Amino acid sequence: MNDQQLMRYSRHILLPEIDIGGQQQVLRSTALVIGLGGLGSPAALYLAASGVGRLLLCDHDTVELGNLQRQIIHRTSSIGQTKVESAVSLLRDINPEVVCVAIPQRLADETLAELIQQADVVLDCSDNFETRYAVNRACLQYRTPLVSGAAIQFEGQVSVFDFRHANIACYNCLFPEDSVAAELRCATTGVFSPLVGIIGAMQAAEALKILMGIERGLSGKLLTLNALDMKVSRSGLAPDADCAVCGVKCFAPQS
Ligand SMILES: [Zn+2]
């Protein structure tokens, strides 16, 4: 680390849990952020400010006026730009050392697999189940840790699936694909602005700890937050033997 970096990251280095070693690991890491909306905005901002070496940023959308109430990485002057382009311009301003790779497209399975193999951690900041299931399957396949977040109305949740370890639950164990009811979208039901900030910042916190080698936090757990009562709860996630994605039956020899 040079003098500029020692200064920039000094408040991390001062923390004994992180120290120079932890910060150096962050500088050498690659994080994939899927979705640059309400959750991806704060997540990408904190990852860039913290010095994550390479940020792979995916979103196929463009910035609209209705995004600006909560998607804090975008500005009024960015309306009409792609979200990745808008995000990259602010992230470069915050920390020019971070290599930002803009991926302004909807992820097909091959692209997703390719990106996940490059990443040390994946942040699912998407707003739809189709993406969440595809990301979960690919992270499990390549054993890449996944930090998943969601927020709607006043309810948010975060969980970490650290696929580097064996016998852990996956996203599909928690919300089986065939049991999901009609999807609530914030476009039609609304979402409280700071809620996505809190959840997205928690995703960044969990991702950074994974990159730093700190094995404490939400791995194998689900945190839920009700931002109306400001009530937080945590529960453990057990792997489901019948899970269609990671369950033992998926890997059992065919008889
Ligand atoms: Zn599973």
Side-chain angles (χ1 to χ4, degrees):
M1 250 185 266
N2 59 36
D3 287 351
Q4 285 283 311
Q5 290 174 316
L6 288 170
M7 183 61 77
R8 184 185 279 269
Y9 305 116
S10 60
R11 302 312 191 273
H12 264 172
I13 295 167
L14 282 169
L15 296 168
E17 292 83 355
I18 300 176
D19 211 330
I20 287 204
Q23 184 60 43
Q24 260 165 344
Q25 278 179 261
V26 171
L27 299 178
R28 285 194 291 259
S29 300
T30 298
L32 168 61
V33 180
I34 299 171
L36 288 163
L39 303 174
S41 288
L45 287 168
Y46 278 115
L47 295 179
S50 300
V52 173
R54 242 169 117 237
L55 282 179
L56 312 176
L57 304 160
C58 299
D59 200 304
H60 66 277
D61 256 339
T62 52
V63 180
E64 293 170 16
L65 183 59
N67 300 148
L68 300 180
Q69 160 255 16
R70 66 199 175 283
Q71 303 186 11
I72 57 167
I73 208 165
H74 309 300
R75 290 151 289 183
T76 306
S77 59
S78 318
I79 291 172
Q81 283 182 348
T82 64
K83 286 192 179 176
V84 282
E85 187 187 357
S86 157
V88 167
S89 79
L90 184 56
L91 295 174
R92 288 208 174 119
D93 218 17
I94 289 171
N95 192 346
E97 289 190 347
V98 175
V99 175
C100 294
V101 181
I103 304 137
Q105 62 192 67
R106 202 184 280 274
L107 292 177
D109 283 352
E110 316 83 75
T111 327
L112 184 62
E114 201 180 294
L115 291 169
I116 283 176
Q117 287 177 81
Q118 293 178 42
D120 299 299
V121 67
V122 175
L123 291 86
D124 185 353
C125 302
S126 68
D127 64 351
N128 65 87
F129 282 114
E130 192 190 339
T131 303
R132 288 190 198 124
Y133 289 120
V135 171
N136 176 58
R137 279 191 296 270
C139 285
L140 174 70
Q141 184 179 351
Y142 298 106
R143 304 215 164 274
T144 308
L146 167 62
V147 181
S148 181
I152 193 78
Q153 296 167 345
F154 289 94
E155 297 283 341
Q157 60 189 43
V158 192
S159 39
V160 176
F161 306 97
D162 192 344
F163 294 122
R164 296 172 300 177
H165 302 304
N167 301 320
I168 60 146
C170 81
Y171 184 81
N172 193 75
C173 293
L174 183 57
F175 302 107
E177 193 161 5
D178 51 15
S179 72
V180 168
E183 191 163 4
L184 290 177
R185 302 290 290 269
C186 65
T188 45
T189 56
V191 61
F192 185 46
S193 168
L195 170 67
V196 291
I198 297 166
I199 298 294
M202 281 187 185
Q203 287 183 268
E206 292 303 298
L208 284 168
K209 285 185 289 174
I210 287 169
L211 298 178
M212 290 163 175
I214 300 174
E215 300 228 354
R216 289 173 64 176
L218 290 177
S219 180
K221 296 182 185 77
L222 170 70
L223 179 147
T224 56
L225 168 72
N226 177 307
L228 210 49
D229 301 317
M230 234 10 128
K231 201 171 157 211
V232 179
S233 64
R234 268 168 52 134
S235 53
L237 301 175
D240 177 1
D242 293 326
C243 173
V245 174
C246 74
V248 285
K249 287 179 185 166
C250 300
F251 303 107
Q254 301 290 312
S255 54

PDB file of all heavy atoms in Angstrom, residues 136 140 168-174 239-240 243-247, ligand 1:
ATOM      1  N   ASN A 136     -28.406 -17.715  -7.515  1.00  0.00           N
ATOM      2  CA  ASN A 136     -28.216 -18.735  -6.480  1.00  0.00           C
ATOM      3  C   ASN A 136     -27.622 -20.011  -7.078  1.00  0.00           C
ATOM      4  O   ASN A 136     -26.647 -20.559  -6.563  1.00  0.00           O
ATOM      5  CB  ASN A 136     -29.566 -19.022  -5.809  1.00  0.00           C
ATOM      6  CG  ASN A 136     -29.490 -20.142  -4.781  1.00  0.00           C
ATOM      7  OD1 ASN A 136     -28.723 -20.065  -3.819  1.00  0.00           O
ATOM      8  ND2 ASN A 136     -30.256 -21.213  -4.997  1.00  0.00           N
ATOM      9  N   LEU A 140     -23.804 -21.357  -6.274  1.00  0.00           N
ATOM     10  CA  LEU A 140     -23.631 -22.696  -5.701  1.00  0.00           C
ATOM     11  C   LEU A 140     -22.691 -23.519  -6.579  1.00  0.00           C
ATOM     12  O   LEU A 140     -21.760 -24.163  -6.086  1.00  0.00           O
ATOM     13  CB  LEU A 140     -25.006 -23.382  -5.576  1.00  0.00           C
ATOM     14  CG  LEU A 140     -24.997 -24.850  -5.135  1.00  0.00           C
ATOM     15  CD1 LEU A 140     -24.572 -24.977  -3.675  1.00  0.00           C
ATOM     16  CD2 LEU A 140     -26.381 -25.478  -5.313  1.00  0.00           C
ATOM     17  N   ILE A 168     -24.542 -26.073   3.658  1.00  0.00           N
ATOM     18  CA  ILE A 168     -25.229 -24.840   4.036  1.00  0.00           C
ATOM     19  C   ILE A 168     -26.484 -24.699   3.169  1.00  0.00           C
ATOM     20  O   ILE A 168     -26.571 -25.263   2.085  1.00  0.00           O
ATOM     21  CB  ILE A 168     -24.323 -23.596   3.874  1.00  0.00           C
ATOM     22  CG1 ILE A 168     -23.878 -23.450   2.411  1.00  0.00           C
ATOM     23  CG2 ILE A 168     -23.126 -23.644   4.784  1.00  0.00           C
ATOM     24  CD1 ILE A 168     -23.746 -22.025   2.019  1.00  0.00           C
ATOM     25  N   ALA A 169     -27.433 -23.947   3.690  1.00  0.00           N
ATOM     26  CA  ALA A 169     -28.667 -23.719   2.941  1.00  0.00           C
ATOM     27  C   ALA A 169     -28.382 -22.831   1.729  1.00  0.00           C
ATOM     28  O   ALA A 169     -27.429 -22.049   1.738  1.00  0.00           O
ATOM     29  CB  ALA A 169     -29.681 -23.041   3.849  1.00  0.00           C
ATOM     30  N   CYS A 170     -29.187 -22.971   0.678  1.00  0.00           N
ATOM     31  CA  CYS A 170     -29.102 -22.049  -0.462  1.00  0.00           C
ATOM     32  C   CYS A 170     -30.384 -21.199  -0.486  1.00  0.00           C
ATOM     33  O   CYS A 170     -31.302 -21.416   0.308  1.00  0.00           O
ATOM     34  CB  CYS A 170     -28.896 -22.807  -1.772  1.00  0.00           C
ATOM     35  SG  CYS A 170     -30.384 -23.521  -2.506  1.00  0.00           S
ATOM     36  N   TYR A 171     -30.446 -20.248  -1.407  1.00  0.00           N
ATOM     37  CA  TYR A 171     -31.613 -19.352  -1.482  1.00  0.00           C
ATOM     38  C   TYR A 171     -32.890 -20.133  -1.734  1.00  0.00           C
ATOM     39  O   TYR A 171     -33.964 -19.811  -1.205  1.00  0.00           O
ATOM     40  CB  TYR A 171     -31.384 -18.304  -2.581  1.00  0.00           C
ATOM     41  CG  TYR A 171     -32.485 -17.282  -2.667  1.00  0.00           C
ATOM     42  CD1 TYR A 171     -32.527 -16.203  -1.789  1.00  0.00           C
ATOM     43  CD2 TYR A 171     -33.495 -17.392  -3.618  1.00  0.00           C
ATOM     44  CE1 TYR A 171     -33.552 -15.276  -1.848  1.00  0.00           C
ATOM     45  CE2 TYR A 171     -34.524 -16.465  -3.690  1.00  0.00           C
ATOM     46  CZ  TYR A 171     -34.551 -15.407  -2.799  1.00  0.00           C
ATOM     47  OH  TYR A 171     -35.564 -14.497  -2.870  1.00  0.00           O
ATOM     48  N   ASN A 172     -32.763 -21.200  -2.539  1.00  0.00           N
ATOM     49  CA  ASN A 172     -33.934 -21.999  -2.881  1.00  0.00           C
ATOM     50  C   ASN A 172     -34.434 -22.835  -1.686  1.00  0.00           C
ATOM     51  O   ASN A 172     -35.605 -23.190  -1.635  1.00  0.00           O
ATOM     52  CB  ASN A 172     -33.603 -22.901  -4.082  1.00  0.00           C
ATOM     53  CG  ASN A 172     -34.832 -23.534  -4.690  1.00  0.00           C
ATOM     54  OD1 ASN A 172     -35.593 -22.885  -5.380  1.00  0.00           O
ATOM     55  ND2 ASN A 172     -35.049 -24.808  -4.396  1.00  0.00           N
ATOM     56  N   CYS A 173     -33.534 -23.145  -0.727  1.00  0.00           N
ATOM     57  CA  CYS A 173     -33.974 -23.834   0.508  1.00  0.00           C
ATOM     58  C   CYS A 173     -34.913 -22.903   1.284  1.00  0.00           C
ATOM     59  O   CYS A 173     -35.876 -23.333   1.906  1.00  0.00           O
ATOM     60  CB  CYS A 173     -32.789 -24.143   1.416  1.00  0.00           C
ATOM     61  SG  CYS A 173     -31.621 -25.338   0.817  1.00  0.00           S
ATOM     62  N   LEU A 174     -34.572 -21.613   1.233  1.00  0.00           N
ATOM     63  CA  LEU A 174     -35.315 -20.608   1.997  1.00  0.00           C
ATOM     64  C   LEU A 174     -36.643 -20.281   1.309  1.00  0.00           C
ATOM     65  O   LEU A 174     -37.691 -20.221   1.951  1.00  0.00           O
ATOM     66  CB  LEU A 174     -34.418 -19.362   2.085  1.00  0.00           C
ATOM     67  CG  LEU A 174     -34.859 -18.152   2.866  1.00  0.00           C
ATOM     68  CD1 LEU A 174     -35.154 -18.524   4.301  1.00  0.00           C
ATOM     69  CD2 LEU A 174     -33.752 -17.096   2.828  1.00  0.00           C
ATOM     70  N   PRO A 239     -30.182 -26.248   5.796  1.00  0.00           N
ATOM     71  CA  PRO A 239     -30.316 -26.755   4.427  1.00  0.00           C
ATOM     72  C   PRO A 239     -31.487 -27.733   4.329  1.00  0.00           C
ATOM     73  O   PRO A 239     -31.755 -28.479   5.268  1.00  0.00           O
ATOM     74  CB  PRO A 239     -28.981 -27.462   4.174  1.00  0.00           C
ATOM     75  CG  PRO A 239     -28.278 -27.558   5.477  1.00  0.00           C
ATOM     76  CD  PRO A 239     -28.919 -26.611   6.435  1.00  0.00           C
ATOM     77  N   ASP A 240     -32.213 -27.665   3.213  1.00  0.00           N
ATOM     78  CA  ASP A 240     -33.372 -28.521   3.005  1.00  0.00           C
ATOM     79  C   ASP A 240     -32.952 -29.721   2.139  1.00  0.00           C
ATOM     80  O   ASP A 240     -32.551 -29.541   0.991  1.00  0.00           O
ATOM     81  CB  ASP A 240     -34.458 -27.695   2.295  1.00  0.00           C
ATOM     82  CG  ASP A 240     -35.692 -28.515   1.974  1.00  0.00           C
ATOM     83  OD1 ASP A 240     -35.708 -29.718   2.323  1.00  0.00           O
ATOM     84  OD2 ASP A 240     -36.617 -27.954   1.372  1.00  0.00           O
ATOM     85  N   CYS A 243     -34.406 -29.804  -1.212  1.00  0.00           N
ATOM     86  CA  CYS A 243     -34.249 -28.631  -2.085  1.00  0.00           C
ATOM     87  C   CYS A 243     -33.919 -29.078  -3.509  1.00  0.00           C
ATOM     88  O   CYS A 243     -33.056 -29.920  -3.725  1.00  0.00           O
ATOM     89  CB  CYS A 243     -33.139 -27.727  -1.545  1.00  0.00           C
ATOM     90  SG  CYS A 243     -32.721 -26.365  -2.654  1.00  0.00           S
ATOM     91  N   ALA A 244     -34.628 -28.481  -4.486  1.00  0.00           N
ATOM     92  CA  ALA A 244     -34.441 -28.861  -5.890  1.00  0.00           C
ATOM     93  C   ALA A 244     -33.114 -28.361  -6.443  1.00  0.00           C
ATOM     94  O   ALA A 244     -32.705 -28.768  -7.529  1.00  0.00           O
ATOM     95  CB  ALA A 244     -35.601 -28.304  -6.718  1.00  0.00           C
ATOM     96  N   VAL A 245     -32.436 -27.468  -5.725  1.00  0.00           N
ATOM     97  CA  VAL A 245     -31.170 -26.914  -6.230  1.00  0.00           C
ATOM     98  C   VAL A 245     -29.962 -27.542  -5.531  1.00  0.00           C
ATOM     99  O   VAL A 245     -29.005 -27.950  -6.178  1.00  0.00           O
ATOM    100  CB  VAL A 245     -31.151 -25.375  -6.072  1.00  0.00           C
ATOM    101  CG1 VAL A 245     -29.792 -24.793  -6.462  1.00  0.00           C
ATOM    102  CG2 VAL A 245     -32.256 -24.752  -6.923  1.00  0.00           C
ATOM    103  N   CYS A 246     -29.995 -27.615  -4.196  1.00  0.00           N
ATOM    104  CA  CYS A 246     -28.809 -28.098  -3.468  1.00  0.00           C
ATOM    105  C   CYS A 246     -29.079 -29.370  -2.670  1.00  0.00           C
ATOM    106  O   CYS A 246     -28.168 -29.900  -2.044  1.00  0.00           O
ATOM    107  CB  CYS A 246     -28.293 -27.014  -2.516  1.00  0.00           C
ATOM    108  SG  CYS A 246     -29.323 -26.803  -1.049  1.00  0.00           S
ATOM    109  N   GLY A 247     -30.336 -29.859  -2.635  1.00  0.00           N
ATOM    110  CA  GLY A 247     -30.707 -30.982  -1.770  1.00  0.00           C
ATOM    111  C   GLY A 247     -29.946 -32.255  -2.112  1.00  0.00           C
ATOM    112  O   GLY A 247     -29.490 -32.421  -3.239  1.00  0.00           O
TER     113      GLY A 247
HETATM  114 ZN    ZN B   1     -31.050 -25.371  -1.382  1.00  0.00          ZN
END
